[in-house]
Amino acid sequence: MTYTATAAEAMTPTTIPTTAAHGGGTGEAPALGGLPDVPCPRELSTSDARELTRIFFDRLQSLEEGTREYQYVRNTLIEMNISLVQFAARPFRDRPGGPENEDIVQVGVIGLIKAIDRYDPERNTQLSTLALPYITGEIKRHFRDTTWAVRVPRRLQELRLQLAKATEELTAETDRAPTPAEIAERLDLTEEEVRQGLVAANGYSTQSLDVPQDGAVGGPQASTGARTARSLADTMGDIDPALEAVEDRHALAPLLADLDERSTQILELRFGQEMTQAEIGEEIGLSQMQVSRLLTRTLGSLREELLHS
C-alpha cells in the first residue's frame, strides 16, 4: 500500500496497528492527535516518507522518552525509513564471505536506530544525511568483526583493503605482480608495514586441511582414473622421532672418540651390529660376563659425562 494523501490531508488522530521495528511485537498504537494515519510505514514512497518523517520528528520532540506514545512514534520512524537501510546495504550483498542479505539489513537497522536517536530536526538537515553513515558504519563493523577467520588488529584489516587496491593498480600499470617496495611507495608506507599487512591478509579466510587439493596423487605415468585427489593434510610432513636424538648424538660424539679401542669395538658390535653379549665375547675372545661388565661400565661412564656436560 502506497501512502498517497498529503500530510495536510492526513492530519487526523487515529489508532493504528503497528509492528515495532526493533522488537517484532505488534500492538495497538496510542491515539496521538495531529499525526497522520500511516497503516503501512514500510510501503511509503520516498517523498511521502521524507515528509512524514519531519512531522513525526516534530511530535517526537514533545513526547517524554520511555512513554508508550514516544515508543510508537519512534518505531514508526524506524519503519518509514527502512528503505535507507536497504539502499545502504545494496553494495555489501555480494561481498565474498559476507552474511546473507537479511543479516546485513538487520545490522543496518541498528545504525538507523542510532541515527534516529541522535537526529536533531532543528539543524534543518535530512535524516538520510545522518543515517546513511551510521548504517554503513554498522555494516562495515559487522563485516570486520565476523567475517575474518583470524582476528587481527583493525589497522591491519583496513590496510588489507588498501593493499588490494594498490596491488590491482600496479599490476595493471606494470603487467606483473608488484613488489612490496613498489606497494610501499604507492601507499607511502614502509616495506615492513606492507609485509605485515600481507601476512595479516592471510587471516581473512582459512581452508580446511581436509579439502582436496587441485593436484593429483598419481605420477606422470598414472592413468587419469587411478589418480585420487589428496587433502592438504596428506601432503604435510609429520614429526620425525629421530630428530629428538640429534642433539644427544652430537653431544655423545666427542665422548665416544675418547674411548679405548676395545670399548669402542664392544659398543659397535652391540649397538651397530646388534650382536648379543655372548656373540661379542666369541668375536673378541672374552666371556659373556666380561663383556657385560665392560658394557655396563662404559655406558655408565658415558651417561655420567653427558649429564654433567
Side-chain angles (χ1 to χ4, degrees):
M1 175 177 180
T2 303
Y3 184 84
T4 56
T6 64
E9 295 170 340
M11 295 287 283
T12 56
T14 183
T15 299
I16 312 164
T18 185
T19 300
H22 62 291
T26 300
E28 195 73 10
L32 290 170
L35 286 184
D37 182 1
V38 190
C40 298
R42 292 192 180 212
E43 298 181 9
L44 292 173
S45 66
T46 302
S47 59
D48 288 334
R50 186 180 299 114
E51 184 178 2
L52 289 171
T53 293
R54 178 181 56 79
I55 295 172
F56 273 72
F57 264 119
D58 289 341
R59 175 54 63 89
L60 190 67
Q61 303 304 307
S62 64
L63 296 174
E64 183 180 353
E65 186 174 351
T67 62
R68 184 165 175 261
E69 291 78 9
Y70 181 94
Q71 292 298 326
Y72 164 68
V73 174
R74 178 174 177 268
N75 292 344
T76 304
L77 282 168
I78 295 170
E79 294 274 0
M80 287 193 299
N81 290 280
I82 289 294
S83 60
L84 292 175
V85 177
Q86 297 168 341
F87 174 79
R90 197 172 301 156
F92 298 92
R93 288 180 169 173
D94 297 326
R95 176 175 290 195
E100 298 297 330
N101 296 355
E102 191 61 31
D103 293 336
I104 301 177
V105 172
Q106 291 179 8
V107 171
V109 169
I110 297 175
L112 175 61
I113 293 173
K114 290 181 178 180
I116 288 176
D117 289 341
R118 291 164 173 78
Y119 179 68
D120 184 1
E122 295 181 359
R123 295 191 175 185
N124 295 322
T125 58
Q126 296 292 337
L127 173 64
S128 58
T129 304
L130 176 67
L132 287 175
Y134 271 93
I135 296 169
T136 303
E138 286 295 329
I139 295 175
K140 288 183 177 180
R141 186 178 298 109
H142 177 75
F143 274 99
R144 186 186 70 235
D145 295 341
T146 62
T147 59
W148 280 73
V150 178
R151 292 294 300 274
V152 300
R154 180 176 179 179
R155 173 181 61 85
L156 295 178
Q157 291 183 1
E158 295 174 348
L159 180 58
R160 170 182 170 271
L161 300 177
Q162 300 177 33
L163 293 176
K165 182 179 179 180
T167 300
E168 183 178 355
E169 293 175 351
L170 290 170
T171 300
E173 295 173 5
T174 62
D175 199 25
R176 60 174 175 80
T179 64
E182 292 172 333
I183 298 176
E185 183 179 358
R186 173 62 62 92
L187 297 177
D188 195 21
L189 300 172
T190 65
E191 285 192 48
E192 180 61 26
E193 289 175 323
V194 170
R195 296 183 190 280
Q196 287 181 357
L198 294 173
V199 172
N202 294 327
Y204 183 74
S205 61
T206 57
Q207 183 180 17
S208 171
L209 293 178
D210 297 324
V211 173
Q213 301 300 293
D214 294 335
V217 170
Q221 304 301 325
S223 63
T224 303
R227 296 182 181 183
T228 57
R230 294 184 298 181
S231 67
L232 182 60
D234 294 332
T235 65
M236 297 179 65
D238 200 357
I239 298 176
D240 186 353
L243 291 175
E244 299 179 0
V246 170
E247 185 176 352
D248 292 339
R249 291 179 179 178
H250 183 73
L252 186 61
L255 302 180
L256 292 175
D258 292 340
L259 292 176
D260 59 78
E261 182 178 353
R262 187 172 64 174
S263 296
T264 301
Q265 183 182 12
I266 292 176
L267 290 178
E268 168 62 24
L269 295 174
R270 179 67 184 93
F271 298 103
Q273 302 183 26
E274 297 184 352
M275 296 174 60
T276 65
Q277 294 179 2
E279 292 171 339
I280 294 173
E282 293 179 1
E283 178 73 20
I284 64 177
L286 296 175
S287 67
Q288 185 269 337
M289 182 63 68
Q290 290 174 314
V291 172
S292 176
R293 290 174 179 172
L294 288 172
L295 190 60
T296 300
R297 185 171 65 241
T298 302
L299 293 178
S301 177
L302 291 174
R303 186 177 296 109
E304 184 176 354
E305 290 185 54
L306 277 176
L307 292 176
H308 290 85
S309 61

